[in-house]
Amino acid sequence: MRRIDAHQHFWRFDPVKDSWINDEMKLLQRDFLPGDLRPELQSTGIDGTIAVQADQSQAENDFLLKLADEHDFIQGVVGWVDLQADDLAAKLEDLGRHKKLKGFRHILQGEIDERFMLRPAFQRGIGLLHKYGYSYDILIFPRHLKHAAQLVAAFPDQRFVIDHLAKPYIKTGDIWAWRKDMEALASYENVWCKVSGMVTEASWHSWTKADLAPYLDVVFNAFGTKRILFGSDWPVCLLAASYHDVIDIVESYLAPFSADEKSDCLGGNATAFYQLT
């Protein structure tokens, strides 16, 4: 089974477009391209990746899809499309020519309206994705989880995945409300979870595997080993850990699991969820 990193990013840094990369993240204020990632994949035995949008534009789709065409290890792209557009069906039909475009994401965590995902126009858009074979990545904070449960319940045939465990409050150790809401969300069989982005929700310079273990326990118990995807969140992870470190977190946690369970979480599930060929 291929080992797949189900969540990483590329960008050519632009201080206006990428204003979310503030001075606290100065390390990320440069270009990150396939040539930077390839050595990391080779040294850790990762066969392929899913490149995920970091900007909400058609230009971002074009950028990532061009990179995917040029680099075989980029096996899928999660892009962006305006799900509220009146001509969404036509847009999805047109985008179908890109075989590596596997799904879409909206930066819901950045919306002022916490119920943005429940807007009728947004839900109308979500309702079209299954018809065209696309998945949907849910990028949210813990306070959005109750709304996410309403969203996924309304579309039982749609494949959803929660990015970054919904960004639990690892730094403060506040786990109980998040745990309850994640367990409720996991009860919907059409929802998967990415084990990604954990180190940047912990204390960047002093996290330990012991800090992360309770959160891993929650998602593995709730989703099971058939609905967990490993993702590095490179290069964002570099704020707190190396590429090797973030893989080691998951591999160490999986040490007691069976060979099949390890294979599923480190690639098999990503292959199934994103329908990689």
Side-chain angles (χ1 to χ4, degrees):
M1 180 64 68
R2 289 174 292 179
R3 283 163 58 93
I4 303 293
D5 177 348
H7 198 105
Q8 53 85 197
H9 306 284
F10 297 115
W11 58 72
R12 288 192 173 93
F13 179 68
D14 179 298
V16 176
K17 175 178 70 69
D18 302 314
S19 59
W20 63 274
I21 305 176
N22 58 34
D23 285 344
E24 187 183 15
M25 306 179 186
K26 212 166 189 64
L27 176 70
L28 303 181
Q29 292 178 344
R30 68 171 181 86
D31 296 353
F32 286 91
L33 296 168
D36 301 303
L37 181 57
R38 188 183 294 275
E40 304 284 6
L41 304 182
Q42 291 172 339
S43 68
T44 52
I46 299 295
D47 301 302
T49 72
I50 302 295
V52 179
Q53 62 85 224
D55 180 58
Q56 299 191 148
S57 67
Q58 179 57 44
E60 178 81 340
N61 292 345
D62 295 340
F63 169 63
L64 294 178
L65 289 166
K66 184 175 187 294
L67 293 181
D69 286 342
E70 294 170 348
H71 301 274
D72 288 344
F73 75 79
I74 306 172
Q75 297 187 8
V77 167
V78 174
W80 179 84
V81 69
D82 182 1
L83 291 171
Q84 300 182 95
D86 291 336
D87 62 345
L88 177 61
K91 290 180 184 293
L92 295 177
E93 189 77 42
D94 179 61
L95 288 167
R97 71 184 188 278
H98 299 290
K99 300 308 178 189
K100 285 191 174 182
L101 183 60
K102 301 300 183 179
F104 298 100
R105 184 174 84 158
H106 186 88
I107 303 176
L108 290 168
Q109 68 176 30
E111 295 290 346
I112 295 173
D113 179 5
E114 290 188 6
R115 295 174 57 86
F116 187 93
M117 70 189 82
L118 301 181
R119 290 183 176 184
F122 188 86
Q123 292 210 347
R124 184 173 65 246
I126 290 288
L128 285 174
L129 297 183
H130 176 69
K131 175 182 177 182
Y132 293 93
Y134 291 116
S135 63
Y136 186 77
D137 273 54
I138 302 177
L139 178 63
I140 54 174
F141 292 126
R143 66 177 180 269
H144 300 105
L145 281 166
K146 58 185 178 294
H147 306 312
Q150 290 181 255
L151 176 69
V152 304
F155 301 97
D157 295 325
Q158 174 62 43
R159 283 172 289 124
F160 293 97
V161 64
I162 301 294
D163 289 350
H164 313 325
L165 294 75
K167 298 195 168 184
Y169 306 118
I170 300 172
K171 186 180 293 186
T172 63
D174 184 4
I175 193 171
W176 298 108
W178 167 83
R179 175 179 182 167
K180 179 181 176 182
D181 289 339
M182 282 293 278
E183 289 174 343
L185 189 61
S187 70
Y188 297 96
E189 294 291 330
N190 57 324
V191 187
W192 306 44
C193 182
K194 286 185 185 178
V195 172
S196 59
M198 297 183 71
V199 292
T200 45
E201 298 308 315
S203 179
W204 289 1
H205 305 297
S206 61
W207 63 267
T208 67
K209 290 178 183 176
D211 297 331
L212 310 180
Y215 300 87
L216 288 168
D217 287 344
V218 169
V219 295
F220 273 85
N221 289 333
F223 289 89
T225 57
K226 287 292 187 182
R227 289 189 287 148
I228 293 285
L229 288 65
F230 159 73
S232 69
D233 199 27
W234 181 95
V236 181
C237 68
L238 300 178
L239 294 168
S242 70
Y243 192 85
H244 180 274
D245 287 338
V246 294
I247 294 177
D248 182 58
I249 289 165
V250 179
E251 289 185 326
S252 296
Y253 185 83
L254 287 171
F257 289 67
S258 72
D260 285 346
E261 289 170 327
K262 293 174 185 176
S263 180
D264 286 340
C265 296
L266 293 171
N269 296 338
T271 299
F273 181 83
Y274 285 116
Q275 300 182 342
L276 304 181
T277 56

